[in-house]
Amino acid sequence: MYLYDLVIKQVDIKDPINGVDGVADIGISDGLIAAIEADIPMHQGRKLIDLSGYTAIPGIIDPHTHVSEFWGSHNGQSMLAKAGVCTTLDMAGPLDDILKSIPEHGAGLNVAILQFASPPYTFTCSNPSQEEIHSLVESSLRNGAYGVKLLGGHYPLTPDASGLLIAEIARQGGYVAWHAGTTEHGSNIEGMREAIAMADGHFLHLAHINSYCRGTVISELEETYEAINLLLKHPHIYSESYISPLNGTSLACKDGVPISKVTCNSLLKLGFEATEVGMESAFRAGKVGCVINGGSESVRISGEQGIKIWRENGTSLGGMFPVNPPLPRIMLAEAKRPEGDFVVDCLSTDGGCLPRNVLVEKGLGLVFLDVITLNEFILKTSWNPSRMLRLPNKGSLGIGMDADITVLDVESRTPVATIVGGNIVMFKGLVCGSGTTIICTSQGEDALKRRGIKTYLADPSQKPLAMSQTR
């Protein structure tokens, strides 16, 4: 009789929440952490894996990614598994696109999906009626979404509609996130100020704080200080920031100009016209690359080849610009509240199918630079996002917690294994997981089960779980 389904042998365990720091074995049963002991006898494990010399941390949760072909390819889940991510929040959907992709493109991860609220895709105009707003939220939750995201930076709504949408998502018990921006203010520090005001005291996941600190209104340093102070003054706002120099956006154009406001701003910031002609110039200069399916991963293509592919696809491709300055990325990663908690709760990538899944590479780079400690890296990539997303059984390696584990080669800053619910979904670069577990509310469970999709129930209508004694 086996006591454990899987035993991980002699791995260096780092779990700051439970004060575990040292070499031990991990026993896993029924998808949960069942034991952490100095030496579990080998005959007690149905499967054994020797990971001596490597470091096991609570499974990484990336709270901002995109795993839909709409943004680049269906490779997002496998790219995340390869990057050491166990759980992710997809921040735009489209919901049905992701759900349809699961049989072929699932990689064994846990995925929560926010349906996007965006004209011209899910709303017909920038000022939808209360009835349209209610209908979008209701149908999204009923069909398996965890909530709704405002893509204001790309496809803005009016300020009034944005405020009504946040209130409606809260009323219906969904998770709400906002890429700041409305028809009045863009994806910048002004948009951040506006989003916080429009939240009107409701919980709000304010996406990628670094993107509001690019020096488009005042200097990037002044914008960063203001962003930190805004978060300090408004504790109902939860947030993440990413540490890649590359942003992600749509390169789709209409009538000779980009549809997305972020794309226009990126072109202008880099010294190009916000037009199709300006886009071609940016391609030639290597300052923009379109994202395409490169086989097992998405790839970014610039230059004349990029222009050719972009044109062949009628301009409707995702793309990336190097517009995130380094100083705000570092300052936002390390900034702390007077009580010692982080101002920006989590690290993220805004990656997935966008090729910038660099939480381990660049996050551990911050550790090597003494910007944050390894324990703080774990807090910002596992514990804090689990609390923000209301996932009480994730974020640590305590007995009885979900057996989500990321195994790292800390010295080379690379993921070695990704284990989700006790299943190895990636080992030394080989993605071997399949299917997807969708994190959903009770409203969407039946619809997902009818599609044969595995579910994980959570309740975003509740307050975020406590990250610490003070946050």
mmCIF file of all heavy atoms in Angstrom, residues 6-15 20-28 33 35-40 48-58 374 397 404-410 414-419 427-428:
data_model
loop_
_atom_site.group_PDB
_atom_site.id
_atom_site.type_symbol
_atom_site.label_atom_id
_atom_site.label_comp_id
_atom_site.label_asym_id
_atom_site.label_seq_id
_atom_site.Cartn_x
_atom_site.Cartn_y
_atom_site.Cartn_z
ATOM 1 N N LEU A 6 2.989 10.673 -5.082
ATOM 2 C CA LEU A 6 4.273 11.180 -5.584
ATOM 3 C C LEU A 6 5.124 11.612 -4.407
ATOM 4 O O LEU A 6 4.620 12.253 -3.474
ATOM 5 C CB LEU A 6 4.043 12.372 -6.522
ATOM 6 C CG LEU A 6 5.295 13.101 -7.035
ATOM 7 C CD1 LEU A 6 6.108 12.201 -7.962
ATOM 8 C CD2 LEU A 6 4.905 14.394 -7.762
ATOM 9 N N VAL A 7 6.389 11.253 -4.449
ATOM 10 C CA VAL A 7 7.348 11.734 -3.457
ATOM 11 C C VAL A 7 8.474 12.457 -4.194
ATOM 12 O O VAL A 7 9.091 11.901 -5.104
ATOM 13 C CB VAL A 7 7.930 10.587 -2.611
ATOM 14 C CG1 VAL A 7 9.038 11.120 -1.689
ATOM 15 C CG2 VAL A 7 6.834 9.927 -1.782
ATOM 16 N N ILE A 8 8.687 13.705 -3.805
ATOM 17 C CA ILE A 8 9.799 14.498 -4.340
ATOM 18 C C ILE A 8 10.948 14.367 -3.340
ATOM 19 O O ILE A 8 10.811 14.749 -2.172
ATOM 20 C CB ILE A 8 9.401 15.967 -4.529
ATOM 21 C CG1 ILE A 8 8.192 16.069 -5.456
ATOM 22 C CG2 ILE A 8 10.568 16.776 -5.073
ATOM 23 C CD1 ILE A 8 7.601 17.467 -5.535
ATOM 24 N N LYS A 9 12.064 13.838 -3.801
ATOM 25 C CA LYS A 9 13.169 13.511 -2.905
ATOM 26 C C LYS A 9 14.211 14.624 -2.840
ATOM 27 O O LYS A 9 14.634 15.173 -3.859
ATOM 28 C CB LYS A 9 13.860 12.222 -3.375
ATOM 29 C CG LYS A 9 12.974 10.973 -3.344
ATOM 30 C CD LYS A 9 12.632 10.543 -1.920
ATOM 31 C CE LYS A 9 13.836 10.043 -1.177
ATOM 32 N NZ LYS A 9 13.493 9.635 0.229
ATOM 33 N N GLN A 10 14.583 14.967 -1.597
ATOM 34 C CA GLN A 10 15.775 15.744 -1.271
ATOM 35 C C GLN A 10 15.874 17.070 -2.034
ATOM 36 O O GLN A 10 16.922 17.427 -2.583
ATOM 37 C CB GLN A 10 17.021 14.899 -1.493
ATOM 38 C CG GLN A 10 17.098 13.711 -0.548
ATOM 39 C CD GLN A 10 17.051 14.144 0.920
ATOM 40 O OE1 GLN A 10 18.022 14.717 1.432
ATOM 41 N NE2 GLN A 10 15.928 13.893 1.602
ATOM 42 N N VAL A 11 14.769 17.791 -2.035
ATOM 43 C CA VAL A 11 14.730 19.104 -2.669
ATOM 44 C C VAL A 11 14.873 20.178 -1.595
ATOM 45 O O VAL A 11 14.460 19.980 -0.439
ATOM 46 C CB VAL A 11 13.419 19.275 -3.477
ATOM 47 C CG1 VAL A 11 12.205 19.368 -2.557
ATOM 48 C CG2 VAL A 11 13.492 20.468 -4.415
ATOM 49 N N ASP A 12 15.470 21.283 -1.923
ATOM 50 C CA ASP A 12 15.647 22.399 -0.981
ATOM 51 C C ASP A 12 14.343 23.191 -0.955
ATOM 52 O O ASP A 12 14.020 23.888 -1.911
ATOM 53 C CB ASP A 12 16.816 23.274 -1.427
ATOM 54 C CG ASP A 12 17.156 24.345 -0.395
ATOM 55 O OD1 ASP A 12 16.636 24.274 0.734
ATOM 56 O OD2 ASP A 12 17.934 25.263 -0.735
ATOM 57 N N ILE A 13 13.597 23.091 0.128
ATOM 58 C CA ILE A 13 12.262 23.683 0.216
ATOM 59 C C ILE A 13 12.346 25.088 0.808
ATOM 60 O O ILE A 13 12.952 25.294 1.860
ATOM 61 C CB ILE A 13 11.326 22.807 1.073
ATOM 62 C CG1 ILE A 13 11.267 21.388 0.512
ATOM 63 C CG2 ILE A 13 9.919 23.418 1.135
ATOM 64 C CD1 ILE A 13 10.534 20.403 1.418
ATOM 65 N N LYS A 14 11.708 26.041 0.133
ATOM 66 C CA LYS A 14 11.610 27.413 0.626
ATOM 67 C C LYS A 14 10.127 27.770 0.724
ATOM 68 O O LYS A 14 9.444 27.931 -0.289
ATOM 69 C CB LYS A 14 12.299 28.397 -0.325
ATOM 70 C CG LYS A 14 13.764 28.081 -0.631
ATOM 71 C CD LYS A 14 14.671 28.328 0.549
ATOM 72 C CE LYS A 14 16.143 28.116 0.162
ATOM 73 N NZ LYS A 14 17.047 28.230 1.327
ATOM 74 N N ASP A 15 9.624 27.856 1.945
ATOM 75 C CA ASP A 15 8.218 28.204 2.171
ATOM 76 C C ASP A 15 8.147 29.188 3.330
ATOM 77 O O ASP A 15 8.005 28.800 4.493
ATOM 78 C CB ASP A 15 7.405 26.943 2.482
ATOM 79 C CG ASP A 15 5.930 27.242 2.736
ATOM 80 O OD1 ASP A 15 5.507 28.395 2.528
ATOM 81 O OD2 ASP A 15 5.201 26.313 3.146
ATOM 82 N N VAL A 20 9.541 26.993 6.513
ATOM 83 C CA VAL A 20 10.313 25.832 6.078
ATOM 84 C C VAL A 20 11.455 26.304 5.183
ATOM 85 O O VAL A 20 11.226 27.004 4.188
ATOM 86 C CB VAL A 20 9.419 24.823 5.325
ATOM 87 C CG1 VAL A 20 10.243 23.622 4.865
ATOM 88 C CG2 VAL A 20 8.254 24.376 6.194
ATOM 89 N N ASP A 21 12.663 25.913 5.521
ATOM 90 C CA ASP A 21 13.836 26.338 4.759
ATOM 91 C C ASP A 21 14.923 25.283 4.921
ATOM 92 O O ASP A 21 15.689 25.308 5.881
ATOM 93 C CB ASP A 21 14.330 27.702 5.252
ATOM 94 C CG ASP A 21 15.475 28.253 4.405
ATOM 95 O OD1 ASP A 21 15.941 27.544 3.485
ATOM 96 O OD2 ASP A 21 15.905 29.393 4.660
ATOM 97 N N GLY A 22 14.951 24.326 4.008
ATOM 98 C CA GLY A 22 15.960 23.291 4.097
ATOM 99 C C GLY A 22 15.629 22.100 3.220
ATOM 100 O O GLY A 22 14.554 22.017 2.622
ATOM 101 N N VAL A 23 16.552 21.175 3.138
ATOM 102 C CA VAL A 23 16.406 20.000 2.278
ATOM 103 C C VAL A 23 15.509 18.967 2.960
ATOM 104 O O VAL A 23 15.708 18.636 4.135
ATOM 105 C CB VAL A 23 17.778 19.391 1.960
ATOM 106 C CG1 VAL A 23 17.624 18.097 1.168
ATOM 107 C CG2 VAL A 23 18.624 20.395 1.180
ATOM 108 N N ALA A 24 14.509 18.492 2.212
ATOM 109 C CA ALA A 24 13.584 17.491 2.738
ATOM 110 C C ALA A 24 12.874 16.816 1.582
ATOM 111 O O ALA A 24 13.068 17.161 0.410
ATOM 112 C CB ALA A 24 12.585 18.128 3.702
ATOM 113 N N ASP A 25 12.018 15.840 1.922
ATOM 114 C CA ASP A 25 11.162 15.175 0.943
ATOM 115 C C ASP A 25 9.753 15.726 1.057
ATOM 116 O O ASP A 25 9.301 16.106 2.145
ATOM 117 C CB ASP A 25 11.119 13.669 1.194
ATOM 118 C CG ASP A 25 12.441 12.970 0.944
ATOM 119 O OD1 ASP A 25 13.383 13.641 0.468
ATOM 120 O OD2 ASP A 25 12.526 11.765 1.223
ATOM 121 N N ILE A 26 9.031 15.737 -0.059
ATOM 122 C CA ILE A 26 7.636 16.167 -0.078
ATOM 123 C C ILE A 26 6.780 14.987 -0.527
ATOM 124 O O ILE A 26 7.011 14.421 -1.602
ATOM 125 C CB ILE A 26 7.417 17.346 -1.039
ATOM 126 C CG1 ILE A 26 8.325 18.527 -0.684
ATOM 127 C CG2 ILE A 26 5.945 17.786 -1.030
ATOM 128 C CD1 ILE A 26 8.281 19.665 -1.691
ATOM 129 N N GLY A 27 5.800 14.626 0.290
ATOM 130 C CA GLY A 27 4.863 13.580 -0.079
ATOM 131 C C GLY A 27 3.536 14.182 -0.500
ATOM 132 O O GLY A 27 3.001 15.069 0.180
ATOM 133 N N ILE A 28 3.005 13.699 -1.614
ATOM 134 C CA ILE A 28 1.770 14.248 -2.187
ATOM 135 C C ILE A 28 0.745 13.125 -2.315
ATOM 136 O O ILE A 28 1.045 12.043 -2.838
ATOM 137 C CB ILE A 28 2.051 14.859 -3.563
ATOM 138 C CG1 ILE A 28 3.020 16.042 -3.439
ATOM 139 C CG2 ILE A 28 0.749 15.288 -4.249
ATOM 140 C CD1 ILE A 28 3.548 16.550 -4.765
ATOM 141 N N ILE A 33 -0.552 18.487 -0.504
ATOM 142 C CA ILE A 33 0.668 18.258 0.254
ATOM 143 C C ILE A 33 0.311 17.401 1.464
ATOM 144 O O ILE A 33 -0.509 17.802 2.304
ATOM 145 C CB ILE A 33 1.302 19.584 0.718
ATOM 146 C CG1 ILE A 33 1.582 20.523 -0.464
ATOM 147 C CG2 ILE A 33 2.573 19.312 1.525
ATOM 148 C CD1 ILE A 33 2.665 20.056 -1.391
ATOM 149 N N ALA A 35 2.895 15.436 3.308
ATOM 150 C CA ALA A 35 3.992 15.324 4.273
ATOM 151 C C ALA A 35 5.203 16.078 3.771
ATOM 152 O O ALA A 35 5.462 16.131 2.560
ATOM 153 C CB ALA A 35 4.355 13.849 4.498
ATOM 154 N N ILE A 36 5.927 16.660 4.702
ATOM 155 C CA ILE A 36 7.265 17.186 4.448
ATOM 156 C C ILE A 36 8.151 16.624 5.543
ATOM 157 O O ILE A 36 8.005 16.970 6.727
ATOM 158 C CB ILE A 36 7.287 18.731 4.438
ATOM 159 C CG1 ILE A 36 6.481 19.266 3.257
ATOM 160 C CG2 ILE A 36 8.729 19.244 4.385
ATOM 161 C CD1 ILE A 36 6.441 20.775 3.157
ATOM 162 N N GLU A 37 9.024 15.705 5.165
ATOM 163 C CA GLU A 37 9.846 14.986 6.129
ATOM 164 C C GLU A 37 11.277 14.889 5.623
ATOM 165 O O GLU A 37 11.538 15.005 4.421
ATOM 166 C CB GLU A 37 9.280 13.580 6.363
ATOM 167 C CG GLU A 37 7.862 13.587 6.929
ATOM 168 C CD GLU A 37 7.302 12.194 7.099
ATOM 169 O OE1 GLU A 37 8.029 11.208 6.824
ATOM 170 O OE2 GLU A 37 6.105 12.078 7.471
ATOM 171 N N ALA A 38 12.175 14.642 6.553
ATOM 172 C CA ALA A 38 13.599 14.591 6.212
ATOM 173 C C ALA A 38 13.888 13.508 5.189
ATOM 174 O O ALA A 38 14.687 13.699 4.269
ATOM 175 C CB ALA A 38 14.425 14.372 7.477
ATOM 176 N N ASP A 39 13.230 12.337 5.346
ATOM 177 C CA ASP A 39 13.513 11.228 4.432
ATOM 178 C C ASP A 39 12.305 10.288 4.410
ATOM 179 O O ASP A 39 12.160 9.423 5.273
ATOM 180 C CB ASP A 39 14.767 10.481 4.884
ATOM 181 C CG ASP A 39 15.180 9.396 3.886
ATOM 182 O OD1 ASP A 39 14.653 9.393 2.752
ATOM 183 O OD2 ASP A 39 16.025 8.553 4.256
ATOM 184 N N ILE A 40 11.439 10.444 3.425
ATOM 185 C CA ILE A 40 10.296 9.552 3.260
ATOM 186 C C ILE A 40 10.796 8.262 2.607
ATOM 187 O O ILE A 40 11.436 8.309 1.548
ATOM 188 C CB ILE A 40 9.202 10.203 2.390
ATOM 189 C CG1 ILE A 40 8.647 11.441 3.094
ATOM 190 C CG2 ILE A 40 8.084 9.212 2.084
ATOM 191 C CD1 ILE A 40 7.654 12.233 2.241
ATOM 192 N N LEU A 48 8.368 8.348 -7.671
ATOM 193 C CA LEU A 48 9.442 9.089 -7.014
ATOM 194 C C LEU A 48 10.130 9.971 -8.039
ATOM 195 O O LEU A 48 10.285 9.585 -9.204
ATOM 196 C CB LEU A 48 10.473 8.138 -6.403
ATOM 197 C CG LEU A 48 9.985 7.093 -5.396
ATOM 198 C CD1 LEU A 48 11.120 6.136 -5.063
ATOM 199 C CD2 LEU A 48 9.461 7.761 -4.141
ATOM 200 N N ILE A 49 10.551 11.152 -7.589
ATOM 201 C CA ILE A 49 11.351 12.011 -8.457
ATOM 202 C C ILE A 49 12.441 12.651 -7.599
ATOM 203 O O ILE A 49 12.158 13.221 -6.538
ATOM 204 C CB ILE A 49 10.472 13.078 -9.168
ATOM 205 C CG1 ILE A 49 11.327 13.944 -10.091
ATOM 206 C CG2 ILE A 49 9.697 13.925 -8.181
ATOM 207 C CD1 ILE A 49 10.510 14.849 -10.993
ATOM 208 N N ASP A 50 13.665 12.506 -8.034
ATOM 209 C CA ASP A 50 14.810 13.047 -7.299
ATOM 210 C C ASP A 50 15.121 14.435 -7.846
ATOM 211 O O ASP A 50 15.522 14.588 -9.002
ATOM 212 C CB ASP A 50 16.020 12.127 -7.471
ATOM 213 C CG ASP A 50 17.237 12.594 -6.666
ATOM 214 O OD1 ASP A 50 17.145 13.672 -6.028
ATOM 215 O OD2 ASP A 50 18.252 11.886 -6.678
ATOM 216 N N LEU A 51 14.923 15.442 -7.010
ATOM 217 C CA LEU A 51 15.209 16.819 -7.414
ATOM 218 C C LEU A 51 16.261 17.439 -6.501
ATOM 219 O O LEU A 51 16.250 18.639 -6.236
ATOM 220 C CB LEU A 51 13.922 17.650 -7.416
ATOM 221 C CG LEU A 51 12.962 17.299 -8.567
ATOM 222 C CD1 LEU A 51 11.614 17.980 -8.389
ATOM 223 C CD2 LEU A 51 13.573 17.692 -9.901
ATOM 224 N N SER A 52 17.174 16.622 -6.045
ATOM 225 C CA SER A 52 18.255 17.121 -5.197
ATOM 226 C C SER A 52 19.084 18.140 -5.967
ATOM 227 O O SER A 52 19.315 17.998 -7.170
ATOM 228 C CB SER A 52 19.147 15.964 -4.732
ATOM 229 O OG SER A 52 19.628 15.218 -5.839
ATOM 230 N N GLY A 53 19.492 19.187 -5.265
ATOM 231 C CA GLY A 53 20.257 20.262 -5.892
ATOM 232 C C GLY A 53 19.398 21.394 -6.397
ATOM 233 O O GLY A 53 19.921 22.446 -6.794
ATOM 234 N N TYR A 54 18.083 21.192 -6.386
ATOM 235 C CA TYR A 54 17.153 22.226 -6.853
ATOM 236 C C TYR A 54 16.321 22.765 -5.689
ATOM 237 O O TYR A 54 16.338 22.215 -4.590
ATOM 238 C CB TYR A 54 16.246 21.680 -7.948
ATOM 239 C CG TYR A 54 16.995 21.225 -9.185
ATOM 240 C CD1 TYR A 54 16.902 19.902 -9.630
ATOM 241 C CD2 TYR A 54 17.796 22.109 -9.900
ATOM 242 C CE1 TYR A 54 17.576 19.477 -10.766
ATOM 243 C CE2 TYR A 54 18.485 21.687 -11.032
ATOM 244 C CZ TYR A 54 18.371 20.375 -11.458
ATOM 245 O OH TYR A 54 19.054 19.965 -12.576
ATOM 246 N N THR A 55 15.575 23.836 -5.950
ATOM 247 C CA THR A 55 14.798 24.526 -4.921
ATOM 248 C C THR A 55 13.312 24.455 -5.243
ATOM 249 O O THR A 55 12.898 24.813 -6.356
ATOM 250 C CB THR A 55 15.233 26.001 -4.815
ATOM 251 O OG1 THR A 55 16.618 26.059 -4.472
ATOM 252 C CG2 THR A 55 14.414 26.744 -3.771
ATOM 253 N N ALA A 56 12.522 23.998 -4.271
ATOM 254 C CA ALA A 56 11.065 23.926 -4.434
ATOM 255 C C ALA A 56 10.415 25.087 -3.692
ATOM 256 O O ALA A 56 10.704 25.323 -2.511
ATOM 257 C CB ALA A 56 10.528 22.608 -3.899
ATOM 258 N N ILE A 57 9.540 25.808 -4.389
ATOM 259 C CA ILE A 57 8.791 26.914 -3.783
ATOM 260 C C ILE A 57 7.304 26.685 -4.043
ATOM 261 O O ILE A 57 6.928 25.897 -4.913
ATOM 262 C CB ILE A 57 9.237 28.278 -4.360
ATOM 263 C CG1 ILE A 57 8.839 28.400 -5.837
ATOM 264 C CG2 ILE A 57 10.736 28.487 -4.180
ATOM 265 C CD1 ILE A 57 9.075 29.795 -6.422
ATOM 266 N N PRO A 58 6.434 27.339 -3.288
ATOM 267 C CA PRO A 58 5.001 27.245 -3.597
ATOM 268 C C PRO A 58 4.748 27.630 -5.050
ATOM 269 O O PRO A 58 5.391 28.537 -5.591
ATOM 270 C CB PRO A 58 4.375 28.253 -2.623
ATOM 271 C CG PRO A 58 5.347 28.348 -1.491
ATOM 272 C CD PRO A 58 6.699 28.198 -2.120
ATOM 273 N N LEU A 374 14.814 36.226 -1.685
ATOM 274 C CA LEU A 374 14.148 35.070 -2.279
ATOM 275 C C LEU A 374 12.790 34.838 -1.624
ATOM 276 O O LEU A 374 11.808 34.539 -2.313
ATOM 277 C CB LEU A 374 15.020 33.819 -2.147
ATOM 278 C CG LEU A 374 14.427 32.516 -2.719
ATOM 279 C CD1 LEU A 374 14.078 32.675 -4.203
ATOM 280 C CD2 LEU A 374 15.401 31.354 -2.520
ATOM 281 N N LEU A 397 3.250 25.720 1.007
ATOM 282 C CA LEU A 397 3.430 24.271 0.944
ATOM 283 C C LEU A 397 3.028 23.619 2.261
ATOM 284 O O LEU A 397 3.562 22.578 2.654
ATOM 285 C CB LEU A 397 4.883 23.932 0.588
ATOM 286 C CG LEU A 397 5.368 24.443 -0.775
ATOM 287 C CD1 LEU A 397 6.832 24.082 -1.002
ATOM 288 C CD2 LEU A 397 4.505 23.884 -1.905
ATOM 289 N N ASP A 404 0.687 22.381 -5.576
ATOM 290 C CA ASP A 404 1.205 23.199 -6.670
ATOM 291 C C ASP A 404 2.613 23.621 -6.273
ATOM 292 O O ASP A 404 2.797 24.334 -5.278
ATOM 293 C CB ASP A 404 0.333 24.434 -6.893
ATOM 294 C CG ASP A 404 -1.066 24.096 -7.374
ATOM 295 O OD1 ASP A 404 -1.332 22.919 -7.692
ATOM 296 O OD2 ASP A 404 -1.903 25.019 -7.442
ATOM 297 N N ILE A 405 3.591 23.195 -7.043
ATOM 298 C CA ILE A 405 4.994 23.391 -6.670
ATOM 299 C C ILE A 405 5.784 23.807 -7.908
ATOM 300 O O ILE A 405 5.640 23.209 -8.981
ATOM 301 C CB ILE A 405 5.604 22.085 -6.108
ATOM 302 C CG1 ILE A 405 4.777 21.577 -4.916
ATOM 303 C CG2 ILE A 405 7.060 22.298 -5.698
ATOM 304 C CD1 ILE A 405 5.137 20.162 -4.481
ATOM 305 N N THR A 406 6.598 24.827 -7.753
ATOM 306 C CA THR A 406 7.544 25.219 -8.794
ATOM 307 C C THR A 406 8.945 24.878 -8.313
ATOM 308 O O THR A 406 9.330 25.256 -7.206
ATOM 309 C CB THR A 406 7.447 26.722 -9.105
ATOM 310 O OG1 THR A 406 6.112 27.027 -9.533
ATOM 311 C CG2 THR A 406 8.424 27.111 -10.204
ATOM 312 N N VAL A 407 9.687 24.161 -9.120
ATOM 313 C CA VAL A 407 11.048 23.765 -8.767
ATOM 314 C C VAL A 407 12.016 24.556 -9.639
ATOM 315 O O VAL A 407 11.873 24.602 -10.872
ATOM 316 C CB VAL A 407 11.265 22.250 -8.952
ATOM 317 C CG1 VAL A 407 12.686 21.865 -8.526
ATOM 318 C CG2 VAL A 407 10.228 21.466 -8.137
ATOM 319 N N LEU A 408 12.997 25.178 -8.985
ATOM 320 C CA LEU A 408 13.889 26.119 -9.660
ATOM 321 C C LEU A 408 15.345 25.696 -9.560
ATOM 322 O O LEU A 408 15.767 25.099 -8.567
ATOM 323 C CB LEU A 408 13.763 27.510 -9.024
ATOM 324 C CG LEU A 408 12.373 28.133 -8.929
ATOM 325 C CD1 LEU A 408 12.437 29.416 -8.107
ATOM 326 C CD2 LEU A 408 11.830 28.409 -10.320
ATOM 327 N N ASP A 409 16.102 26.048 -10.587
ATOM 328 C CA ASP A 409 17.556 26.120 -10.488
ATOM 329 C C ASP A 409 17.854 27.593 -10.216
ATOM 330 O O ASP A 409 17.851 28.417 -11.136
ATOM 331 C CB ASP A 409 18.204 25.658 -11.791
ATOM 332 C CG ASP A 409 19.726 25.651 -11.724
ATOM 333 O OD1 ASP A 409 20.294 26.456 -10.941
ATOM 334 O OD2 ASP A 409 20.352 24.880 -12.455
ATOM 335 N N VAL A 410 18.025 27.910 -8.960
ATOM 336 C CA VAL A 410 18.130 29.320 -8.562
ATOM 337 C C VAL A 410 19.346 29.980 -9.185
ATOM 338 O O VAL A 410 19.290 31.133 -9.632
ATOM 339 C CB VAL A 410 18.158 29.436 -7.020
ATOM 340 C CG1 VAL A 410 18.433 30.880 -6.598
ATOM 341 C CG2 VAL A 410 16.826 28.975 -6.441
ATOM 342 N N THR A 414 16.326 29.465 -13.744
ATOM 343 C CA THR A 414 15.468 28.754 -14.685
ATOM 344 C C THR A 414 14.539 27.794 -13.940
ATOM 345 O O THR A 414 14.923 27.213 -12.923
ATOM 346 C CB THR A 414 16.290 27.939 -15.699
ATOM 347 O OG1 THR A 414 17.170 27.057 -14.993
ATOM 348 C CG2 THR A 414 17.104 28.852 -16.601
ATOM 349 N N PRO A 415 13.319 27.596 -14.442
ATOM 350 C CA PRO A 415 12.424 26.592 -13.868
ATOM 351 C C PRO A 415 12.883 25.198 -14.274
ATOM 352 O O PRO A 415 13.302 24.971 -15.413
ATOM 353 C CB PRO A 415 11.057 26.920 -14.493
ATOM 354 C CG PRO A 415 11.224 28.238 -15.188
ATOM 355 C CD PRO A 415 12.667 28.364 -15.518
ATOM 356 N N VAL A 416 12.791 24.261 -13.352
ATOM 357 C CA VAL A 416 13.171 22.871 -13.603
ATOM 358 C C VAL A 416 11.930 21.995 -13.744
ATOM 359 O O VAL A 416 11.881 21.108 -14.592
ATOM 360 C CB VAL A 416 14.066 22.347 -12.465
ATOM 361 C CG1 VAL A 416 14.364 20.861 -12.645
ATOM 362 C CG2 VAL A 416 15.361 23.147 -12.397
ATOM 363 N N ALA A 417 10.936 22.235 -12.888
ATOM 364 C CA ALA A 417 9.710 21.434 -12.935
ATOM 365 C C ALA A 417 8.528 22.283 -12.488
ATOM 366 O O ALA A 417 8.667 23.173 -11.638
ATOM 367 C CB ALA A 417 9.838 20.195 -12.048
ATOM 368 N N THR A 418 7.382 22.000 -13.082
ATOM 369 C CA THR A 418 6.122 22.620 -12.697
ATOM 370 C C THR A 418 5.164 21.503 -12.321
ATOM 371 O O THR A 418 4.893 20.614 -13.132
ATOM 372 C CB THR A 418 5.527 23.440 -13.857
ATOM 373 O OG1 THR A 418 6.517 24.355 -14.351
ATOM 374 C CG2 THR A 418 4.300 24.218 -13.412
ATOM 375 N N ILE A 419 4.684 21.543 -11.083
ATOM 376 C CA ILE A 419 3.811 20.493 -10.557
ATOM 377 C C ILE A 419 2.500 21.134 -10.144
ATOM 378 O O ILE A 419 2.487 22.063 -9.319
ATOM 379 C CB ILE A 419 4.477 19.766 -9.376
ATOM 380 C CG1 ILE A 419 5.797 19.135 -9.839
ATOM 381 C CG2 ILE A 419 3.537 18.721 -8.770
ATOM 382 C CD1 ILE A 419 6.669 18.626 -8.699
ATOM 383 N N PHE A 427 8.838 19.231 -17.009
ATOM 384 C CA PHE A 427 10.061 18.736 -16.393
ATOM 385 C C PHE A 427 11.234 19.033 -17.317
ATOM 386 O O PHE A 427 11.284 18.563 -18.453
ATOM 387 C CB PHE A 427 9.979 17.240 -16.114
ATOM 388 C CG PHE A 427 11.163 16.712 -15.367
ATOM 389 C CD1 PHE A 427 11.324 16.985 -14.019
ATOM 390 C CD2 PHE A 427 12.130 15.949 -16.003
ATOM 391 C CE1 PHE A 427 12.423 16.509 -13.321
ATOM 392 C CE2 PHE A 427 13.236 15.466 -15.318
ATOM 393 C CZ PHE A 427 13.388 15.751 -13.964
ATOM 394 N N LYS A 428 12.143 19.873 -16.823
ATOM 395 C CA LYS A 428 13.370 20.233 -17.538
ATOM 396 C C LYS A 428 13.085 20.663 -18.980
ATOM 397 O O LYS A 428 13.728 20.213 -19.932
ATOM 398 C CB LYS A 428 14.378 19.092 -17.478
ATOM 399 C CG LYS A 428 14.877 18.840 -16.057
ATOM 400 C CD LYS A 428 16.030 17.876 -15.989
ATOM 401 C CE LYS A 428 16.553 17.781 -14.549
ATOM 402 N NZ LYS A 428 17.686 16.847 -14.413
#
